[in-house]
Amino acid sequence: CPSSPKHSSTLSEKCGVLNVTKITEHGKKVRKNWTSSWTVLQGSTLLFAKGQNSATSWSYYRSGSFPELLLSLLSNWKRSVKPRPAVSYKHYGPYSKFGGNQSKPEFAVDLRGGSVEWASKEKSSKKHVIELKTRQGTELLIQSEIDSVITDWYRALTEVINTHAWE
Ligand code: I3S
């Protein structure tokens, strides 16, 4: 992240733009509210930032405008990591004009003890939808129009959940 998603046994990291909605919170059903979110998988935590540029990143992606896409993703990524105190931001200096603090992580979920499966048609009429359940009683639907994108996320989430199954 941002340019090369990497995986290791101790820390997996992956990010991208996904459509997300909660359907259950603390065990209670909540109304769907699909939003395009900058999504970061970091270790066993999945973070969602309502990046102001999410839609922009998406449109750059679709238009094949990769330099702009990279800048936009970098900008979103910087914002998504900004609130974490352990990270030093010094080296982001030259790019700060793309960042700012307009966007904060919307929410984060702990994947340990959770589960993922492909959502049934009853859960959503959209295609390529992952249903993620957490031990804390949050259920999310995660979707991308791009088959390969959502398949990669499915794989990554499954891997993290399996790795941390006994924690
Ligand atoms: O599971 P539902 O309730 O049919 O989900 C749809 C609704 O949340 C709908 O919103 P309103 O009922 O507030 O108008 C959304 O616009 C749809 O996207 C939801 O369904 P999908 O199948 O897209 O997840």
Side-chain angles (χ1 to χ4, degrees), residues 21 23 29 31-34 121-126 129 141:
T21 183
I23 53 170
K29 201 168 185 285
R31 189 171 181 168
K32 274 184 187 168
N33 178 25
W34 283 104
K121 291 234 173 359
E122 287 72 43
K123 296 277 174 168
S124 178
S125 59
K126 299 185 194 306
V129 182
L141 299 181

Side-chain angles (χ1 to χ4, degrees), residues 102-160:
Q102 309 97 305
S103 170
K104 302 179 189 73
E106 276 277 283
F107 62 99
V109 293
D110 183 358
L111 296 173
R112 290 173 299 177
S115 67
V116 274
E117 57 186 315
W118 292 108
S120 66
K121 291 234 173 359
E122 287 72 43
K123 296 277 174 168
S124 178
S125 59
K126 299 185 194 306
K127 56 181 179 177
H128 314 314
V129 182
I130 294 173
E131 186 179 1
L132 168 64
K133 294 182 187 176
T134 72
R135 189 154 56 185
Q136 291 74 32
T138 300
E139 285 179 46
L140 305 172
L141 299 181
I142 301 171
Q143 192 261 357
S144 168
E145 290 300 322
I146 305 165
D147 204 350
S148 57
V149 167
I150 201 70
T151 307
D152 276 359
W153 275 98
Y154 186 89
R155 207 174 294 139
L157 293 170
T158 307
E159 189 182 308
V160 168

